[in-house]
């Protein structure tokens, strides 16, 4: 038969009561931030880069970055993203408007938007030339452009390992709360 030391149980109870609330809150905070940074890093790795604006916006402290963290008790919410205007279309995709003219030019097999290209077309016409409109831009076909899903895929990747991250944090929490045993 095992002996129970009532004074030791009371000491352990007081220790847990005094220390557990803050420790649990800190553990939840660490776990949420770890998950948030994981989503952010994954998004940075997956986002396509043309001029780097969207990728740069996916860094904490950047002017267009969204990395919001809030805690209520032992519940944490974290929001990761960007305020770059076109980010949604890169993430989710879009459908072109058939027949819409987009001014620009081709360079190295890639179309570059140039809002001044149409003005150049009009100037050539005014000179009496007969320029080809498609030399100054493209006419959209109405096709669906799929999204990259850089944020959704990064979130799914972190969600797949979140239980393991939480387990590691719980083990660490138990070690801190029960230092004697």
């Amino acid at each position: 038969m095992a002996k129970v030391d009532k004074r030791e149980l009371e000491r352990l109870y007081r220790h847990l009561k005094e220390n557990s609330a803050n420790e649990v809150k800190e553990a939840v905070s660490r776990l949420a931030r770890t998950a948030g940074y994981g989503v952010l890093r994954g998004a940075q790795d997956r986002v396509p880069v043309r001029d780097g604006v969207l990728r740069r916006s996916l860094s904490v402290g950047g002017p267009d970055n969204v990395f919001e963290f809030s805690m209520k008790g032992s519940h944490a919410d974290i929001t990761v993203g960007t305020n770059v205007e076109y980010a949604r279309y890169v993430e989710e995709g879009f459908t072109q408007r058939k027949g819409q003219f987009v001014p620009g030019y081709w360079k190295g097999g890639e179309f570059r938007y140039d809002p001044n290209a149409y003005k150049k077309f009009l100037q050539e016409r005014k000179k009496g030339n007969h320029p080809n409109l498609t030399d100054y831009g493209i006419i959209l076909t109405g096709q669906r452009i799929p999204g990259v899903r850089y944020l959704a895929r990064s979130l799914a990747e972190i969600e797949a390992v979140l239980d393991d991250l939480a387990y590691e944090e719980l083990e660490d929490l138990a070690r801190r709360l029960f230092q004697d045993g």
Side-chain angles (χ1 to χ4, degrees):
M1 183 187 243
K3 289 186 177 183
V4 177
D5 184 347
K6 185 178 175 188
R7 284 179 294 183
E8 183 61 27
L9 283 176
E10 287 173 352
R11 185 192 68 76
L12 179 60
Y13 173 76
R14 280 192 307 278
H15 171 74
L16 288 174
K17 190 174 180 181
E18 292 169 5
N19 297 301
S20 64
N22 287 336
E23 291 282 346
V24 168
K25 191 174 181 179
E26 288 174 19
V28 170
S29 173
R30 273 191 303 277
L31 178 60
R33 289 176 194 275
T34 298
Y37 282 116
V39 170
L40 192 62
R41 279 190 305 277
Q44 288 170 329
D45 291 345
R46 289 180 173 91
V47 72
V49 177
R50 177 175 291 169
D51 57 13
V53 171
L54 184 53
R55 179 177 279 169
R56 280 191 303 277
S57 76
L58 293 167
S59 60
V60 175
D64 290 314
N65 176 258
V66 176
F67 194 88
E68 298 169 355
F69 178 78
S70 68
M71 274 200 76
K72 292 178 184 164
S74 61
H75 176 79
D77 286 318
I78 194 152
T79 304
V80 176
T82 176
N83 284 324
V84 170
E85 185 178 324
Y86 59 87
R88 176 180 179 203
Y89 302 109
V90 176
E91 171 72 11
E92 299 173 4
F94 60 94
T95 301
Q96 299 174 339
R97 278 186 260 151
K98 187 174 183 171
Q100 178 183 358
F101 177 75
V102 179
Y105 58 91
W106 289 93
K107 182 176 182 181
E110 187 175 276
F111 183 76
R112 304 281 178 136
Y113 171 71
D114 179 2
N116 296 317
Y118 188 67
K119 290 177 188 173
K120 293 174 188 172
F121 168 78
L122 293 175
Q123 289 169 350
E124 286 298 314
R125 281 185 56 187
K126 193 173 186 177
K127 290 178 188 175
N129 298 327
H130 301 287
N132 185 348
L133 182 61
T134 56
D135 290 338
Y136 295 87
I138 57 174
I139 299 172
L140 300 180
T141 62
Q143 69 181 358
R144 173 81 183 145
I145 308 299
V148 176
R149 312 301 284 179
Y150 60 94
L151 278 169
R153 291 169 47 212
S154 299
L155 179 60
E157 182 179 78
I158 291 300
E159 286 176 340
V161 297
L162 195 55
D163 285 347
D164 293 337
L165 293 173
Y167 184 77
E168 288 173 17
E169 192 60 51
L170 272 173
E171 281 186 325
D172 189 47
L173 176 63
R175 271 194 237 75
R176 283 193 310 278
L177 289 175
F178 300 103
Q179 293 175 10
D180 297 341

